[in-house]
Amino acid sequence: MVSNLIKLGLGSLSVLVVFSCQPSAEHKNSIVKRTTDSCRYYRYNVGQIISNLGCKNCHVSFNVDKIDVYGITTWRGLAAMDSLKLIDYAFTKKHKGWYSKNGDFKTARMDTLSDCEIRSVIRYIKDFGRDIPMPSQ
Amino acid sequence: MTTDLVHAISANLAILQNQPLSGGIVAKNLHISDNGSGELSLYGDFTITLKVLDLTTNGAPSLNNLMTFTQQVMTAKLRGGGYKGGIRTFKYNSAKNIFDKSKNWTYSIRYNFNFIVNVIQISMLNQLKGNDFVLAVVDSIGHQFTDQYGRRQSSGGLTQGEGGPATVSYNSWKKNKYIGVHEFFHTLSLDDIEDPDKKNRLMYHLGDNSGQIISDTERGDIFDFIRKYLGDITKVSQSNINLNTVNQLKTFLNNPINGFKFNKTRFR
């Protein structure tokens, strides 16, 4: 009886181990997603997006401080932000609605940017803070 | 006591005001015209000075020729004014000649800027001021980068971003006379280009260039950068802001990631 109970227990355990070692469907999907991600970072194009949005008109890029004399976060200040905070700060709910469809800057709506473009813009900003030199030839 | 202090401050301000402006960009005769329909025209006479610091071990006999060439190309590329639309900034109040920080506005800006470019050699760091532009000539640059095709590329020049110091390897500069201008235009905010259909552009940086064109958009970006870099474009005369160039250059040259080889005894 005891022996049967032990056998049953060990059997259940091995079934559990086998199932727990199988990748879940969700995990498999995430692998597929990662390998098919076609978002490619191209610095020049991102620079054009930033130029067209006019980000650096307010968030000046050459200021050594993180906040300028007008209380506006500089480019360096943006680069020092955590990426998630940066997305929230720049794209989600900040800019006081200026870039929304009824805002002051409605002609350059940020919500028309694709997810890839947003990620690329974030990388462009973060690269500035990482002090990566610009290579030439 | 208070009166003395006020007099002392006034006297110092007067001395400062009478001193000629200096630095990488000196602007005179600045003025703004607003057509009332969303277009500003900016006028001004600019002198851009790039100081070249030779840090090579064995000297650079072709340096004068390269500097003259760089000066000529920069002058040519900056000529002709520029235009940039969709500039989102603050509303310009022409009556007060100020930008109202409480009101947003979208402008097109027509740049009517005239440039004089000077590329001059310096031999000592004390000839370099905090708001100067500098191009340091080094023996070699170890830094490599990966291009968009995944290929590793070596660097003939390296610049520390907008407003920052630029460097060029002497041997690379001799082989490609345009590298000096290319690097300095990074200082003036332009990015590198790797598009195969833009090989005719000065900022294309993979070595197989078919030309050295600066596009109208790029010229607009440079003028836009200069406008912001001056701090207050509404003043008649302005110089670019102080970014402590000597310290920036020192940090840049000694960053091991960049792999600069140069004669350290000449950095004095």
Side-chain angles (χ1 to χ4, degrees), chain B:
Chain B
M1 177 67 183
T2 313
T3 316
D4 288 347
L5 186 63
V6 170
H7 282 156
I9 292 169
S10 302
N12 281 327
L13 279 175
I15 290 168
L16 283 172
Q17 280 166 357
N18 290 328
Q19 280 181 344
L21 292 171
S22 66
I25 304 173
V26 171
K28 291 186 174 162
N29 306 319
L30 290 170
H31 68 278
I32 303 172
S33 160
D34 185 352
N35 76 349
S37 303
E39 183 176 295
L40 299 180
S41 293
L42 268 54
Y43 301 84
D45 300 319
F46 291 74
T47 303
I48 290 190
T49 304
L50 175 60
K51 294 187 174 177
V52 177
L53 180 62
D54 177 10
L55 297 174
T56 59
T57 304
N58 299 317
S62 302
L63 194 56
N64 273 336
N65 286 341
L66 291 167
M67 285 167 49
T68 304
F69 179 80
T70 301
Q71 181 172 300
Q72 288 168 346
V73 174
M74 278 168 58
T75 304
K77 300 298 180 196
L78 293 173
R79 189 179 294 139
Y83 179 83
K84 195 155 172 63
I87 293 179
R88 281 155 275 280
T89 183
F90 303 112
K91 190 169 186 345
Y92 178 64
N93 182 329
S94 53
K96 294 181 180 171
N97 190 29
I98 56 164
F99 282 90
D100 184 347
K101 304 287 179 192
S102 67
K103 289 178 185 162
N104 297 311
W105 213 254
T106 302
Y107 284 109
S108 298
I109 297 187
R110 200 168 289 283
Y111 291 101
N112 301 285
F113 289 172
N114 302 308
F115 288 93
I116 293 173
V117 177
N118 295 317
V119 179
I120 58 173
Q121 187 174 356
I122 57 168
S123 54
M124 305 280 281
L125 286 178
N126 62 13
Q127 295 170 281
L128 204 54
K129 288 189 291 293
N131 61 349
D132 279 339
F133 291 134
V134 65
L135 176 68
V137 187
V138 297
D139 292 323
S140 64
I141 300 171
H143 179 268
Q144 292 193 326
F145 66 98
T146 305
D147 67 20
Q148 64 170 338
Y149 309 104
R151 300 175 305 204
R152 295 291 285 167
Q153 302 266 6
S154 55
S155 304
L158 216 54
T159 301
Q160 196 182 34
E162 297 169 14
T167 59
V168 65
S169 140
Y170 178 58
N171 284 331
S172 299
W173 201 7
K174 274 196 300 181
K175 285 180 199 154
N176 179 356
K177 294 194 290 182
Y178 285 95
I179 293 183
V181 191
H182 176 106
E183 289 308 322
F184 182 61
F185 279 4
H186 281 317
T187 301
L188 295 183
S189 84
L190 296 189
D191 280 331
D192 282 320
I193 298 173
E194 294 186 356
D195 268 13
D197 62 347
K198 294 188 178 69
K199 287 185 181 179
N200 63 344
R201 304 268 284 271
L202 177 70
M203 298 316 288
Y204 179 83
H205 76 144
L206 299 182
D208 52 342
N209 295 56
S210 60
Q212 280 79 30
I213 290 169
I214 285 287
S215 71
D216 289 344
T217 305
E218 286 172 315
R219 198 165 25 251
D221 283 337
I222 288 178
F223 295 159
D224 210 36
F225 174 75
I226 289 172
R227 171 179 64 85
K228 290 173 277 182
Y229 199 33
L230 286 182
D232 191 349
I233 197 79
T234 61
K235 299 280 187 293
V236 175
S237 298
Q238 277 282 282
S239 176
N240 58 307
I241 60 172
N242 192 334
L243 293 179
N244 203 342
T245 302
V246 179
N247 260 4
Q248 280 204 74
L249 180 63
K250 198 179 288 179
T251 308
F252 191 49
L253 287 174
N254 291 314
N255 185 344
I257 294 170
N258 299 329
F260 291 120
K261 285 207 169 71
F262 61 98
N263 186 345
K264 290 187 170 57
T265 60
R266 299 186 85 163
F267 192 78
R268 63 190 192 280

Side-chain angles (χ1 to χ4, degrees), chain A:
Chain A
M1 180 67 181
V2 174
S3 162
N4 282 343
L5 278 176
I6 292 170
K7 278 180 192 167
L8 191 64
L10 283 175
S12 307
L13 189 64
S14 32
V15 168
L16 197 68
V17 166
V18 166
F19 276 106
S20 65
C21 290
Q22 293 293 320
S24 67
E26 191 182 317
H27 189 211
K28 276 181 192 167
N29 285 342
S30 72
I31 290 169
V32 172
K33 264 185 197 166
R34 238 176 268 140
T35 52
T36 56
D37 187 353
S38 59
C39 180
R40 198 168 68 168
Y41 178 75
Y42 185 29
R43 186 179 169 84
Y44 177 77
N45 289 348
V46 186
Q48 292 303 300
I49 292 171
I50 285 165
S51 174
N52 290 334
L53 283 172
C55 308
K56 291 181 182 176
N57 282 320
C58 297
H59 307 286
V60 289
S61 55
F62 39 78
N63 199 318
V64 290
D65 299 318
K66 289 180 181 171
I67 293 175
D68 69 13
V69 291
Y70 305 111
I72 298 169
T73 304
T74 63
W75 204 251
R76 195 174 297 278
L78 292 179
M81 281 184 190
D82 172 71
S83 292
L84 289 176
K85 189 181 172 191
L86 197 50
I87 289 173
D88 180 56
Y89 183 85
F91 296 100
T92 310
K93 58 190 175 190
K94 299 296 178 184
H95 282 118
K96 303 169 186 173
W98 296 340
Y99 287 87
S100 66
K101 62 181 178 183
N102 296 318
D104 292 349
F105 299 146
K106 58 188 172 214
T107 52
R109 286 174 59 194
M110 281 186 176
D111 56 10
T112 56
L113 291 182
S114 69
D115 179 55
C116 175
E117 286 170 328
I118 290 174
R119 279 193 280 155
S120 297
V121 167
I122 298 295
R123 179 173 164 187
Y124 186 102
I125 296 169
K126 294 293 292 179
D127 274 359
F128 182 83
R130 288 181 187 129
D131 197 21
I132 294 171
M134 293 183 187
S136 173
Q137 305 289 320

